[in-house]
Amino acid sequence: MLSPERHATRLQSEVWPELPQSAWGETCVTLQLWTQIVGKIRLALTPPLNHTWNVTLFPTVRGLTTSPMWQGTRTLQIDFDFIDHILVLQTSEGDRRVIALKPMTVATFYREVMASLEALGTPVPIWPMPVEMAQPIPFDQDITHQAYDPEYVERFWRILLQTTRVFNIFRARFIGKASPIHLFWGALDLACTRFSGRTAPEHSSMPGLPDRVTRDAYSHEVSSCGFWPGAPGMEPLFYSYAYPQPPGYAESSVQPAAARFDPNLGEFILPYEDMRQSESPDEVLLQFLQSTYEAAATTAQWDRQGLEAAYSSPAAPDSPTV
């Protein structure tokens, strides 16, 4: 039998698993490109929504989903299943196509997705060019990226689920306008954004994004947080930033001790591994989210009394409930 200490360590490892870039970096890039293909289908089939919220994907109990999309009156949904490692394309008429998720080139994945849409009678043309990536290769020509490690994909998805759980607690503390908790496939980050209610100055251009998208995303004053799985040379992290960045924001004192302002990124960061290794990962993450939001709201003089809800620490999972 495991000792209480070893059992706690094992449970923590299962809830917040390791995700070193050195182990799954190539898979991470391939998965990002695959989600961009599916995300662009959602972009093509949904009416524009403020801050591009119509294009995002959402974590599910098995992976990621587009949620229902309409082509005329026909309904289509596409799901990444990271338990059985399949992509499921299905319609409300009961038609279904399945693509096995395994090592394959982005070009092959693209062709299989497009062929499945044709077979379902729901063809969707998309612009086959990746976004928010250096030296992008058109999807239909990309025979470079083809790694797929199911273990690490599942770890990434489980982190998204746990992050969504904690973000939901944090989101409930705010009664002003706030985004859904959703995955932006451009950078493969899970995000949640709060708004002060005031408009913001026009945002300058961002690499890899049309100006109209950037300026719509930052049309209003925000405090935004998220989880990013990293990239070559950068490990996974939680982030928090304010736009526009108010004077004194970067110098604000935030929690936990492992958090810091990164001048290159222009945001506060908390390394995922530091959070994961802490005695209470949930509480450490909530400290980061709350303190960085307060830094933005205080230095930018938000109407905190009118925007915030009273809150208390959530009960432990095994605590009795009403």
Side-chain angles (χ1 to χ4, degrees):
M1 178 180 292
L2 291 174
S3 68
E5 293 78 14
R6 290 186 62 192
H7 177 74
T9 300
R10 178 179 173 182
L11 179 62
Q12 178 177 316
S13 178
E14 291 171 349
V15 173
W16 298 103
E18 289 183 281
L19 196 69
Q21 265 288 314
S22 60
W24 89 299
E26 292 183 3
T27 292
C28 183
V29 174
T30 300
L31 182 63
Q32 181 179 358
L33 291 163
W34 289 0
T35 62
Q36 289 202 10
I37 292 169
V38 173
K40 285 187 175 220
I41 294 168
R42 180 162 162 76
L43 168 63
L45 294 182
T46 54
L49 195 61
N50 55 311
H51 316 300
T52 325
W53 291 351
N54 62 297
V55 310
T56 58
L57 303 179
F58 303 91
T60 72
V61 295
R62 299 189 69 90
L64 292 169
T65 186
T66 59
S67 72
M69 306 172 288
W70 284 266
Q71 191 181 57
T73 58
R74 299 196 68 197
T75 310
L76 169 71
Q77 181 167 305
I78 304 177
D79 295 305
F80 285 93
D81 183 329
F82 295 141
I83 294 178
D84 289 340
H85 296 283
I86 55 177
L87 185 77
V88 181
L89 303 91
Q90 52 194 331
T91 69
S92 54
E93 286 85 3
D95 299 316
R96 189 171 186 263
R97 291 293 183 275
V98 174
I99 299 170
L101 299 179
K102 58 186 180 181
M104 74 174 99
T105 66
V106 171
T108 298
F109 180 83
Y110 175 79
R111 286 195 299 269
E112 292 202 14
V113 170
M114 293 298 116
S116 295
L117 291 172
E118 288 280 354
L120 290 170
T122 55
V124 183
I126 64 172
W127 184 46
M129 182 63 72
V131 296
E132 298 187 54
M133 303 188 79
Q135 301 177 328
I137 306 169
F139 299 135
D140 56 351
Q141 300 174 30
D142 188 347
I143 58 174
T144 300
H145 302 103
Q146 56 187 312
Y148 187 83
D149 185 325
E151 177 187 343
Y152 281 94
V153 170
E154 184 171 339
R155 291 187 188 195
F156 169 61
W157 157 64
R158 292 192 180 278
I159 293 169
L160 293 182
L161 280 184
Q162 296 304 324
T163 300
T164 300
R165 174 178 60 82
V166 177
F167 276 20
N168 267 312
I169 296 169
F170 174 66
R171 187 176 186 272
R173 299 174 177 179
F174 195 74
I175 58 176
K177 174 182 171 181
S179 77
I181 298 165
H182 45 198
L183 185 92
F184 280 104
W185 38 263
L188 204 62
D189 62 315
L190 188 77
C192 182
T193 302
R194 292 176 169 186
F195 295 79
S196 71
R198 301 189 298 238
T199 57
E202 186 175 271
H203 199 289
S204 58
S205 300
M206 290 180 66
L209 282 176
D211 287 348
R212 59 180 175 78
V213 174
T214 302
R215 288 166 186 168
D216 172 62
Y218 297 106
S219 61
H220 289 68
E221 195 172 43
V222 303
S223 171
S224 189
C225 60
F227 168 75
W228 179 58
M234 295 187 68
E235 292 301 315
L237 55 83
F238 294 97
Y239 64 79
S240 183
Y241 64 86
Y243 181 80
Q245 189 180 118
Y249 172 74
E251 292 74 40
S252 299
S253 176
V254 301
Q255 295 179 299
R260 63 182 176 85
F261 186 84
D262 187 307
N264 294 319
L265 298 176
E267 56 194 23
F268 286 101
I269 63 170
L270 171 64
Y272 169 72
E273 188 63 16
D274 285 311
M275 184 279 295
R276 191 186 78 84
Q277 292 281 6
S278 67
E279 291 185 4
S280 180
D282 288 17
E283 185 57 35
V284 164
L285 178 52
L286 282 168
Q287 287 175 359
F288 176 72
L289 301 175
Q290 185 65 32
S291 65
T292 54
Y293 157 72
E294 289 181 359
T298 300
T299 56
Q301 299 180 349
W302 287 25
D303 176 16
R304 295 185 58 186
Q305 184 175 357
L307 293 170
E308 297 174 16
Y311 69 89
S312 58
S313 299
D318 56 351
S319 296
T321 57
V322 175

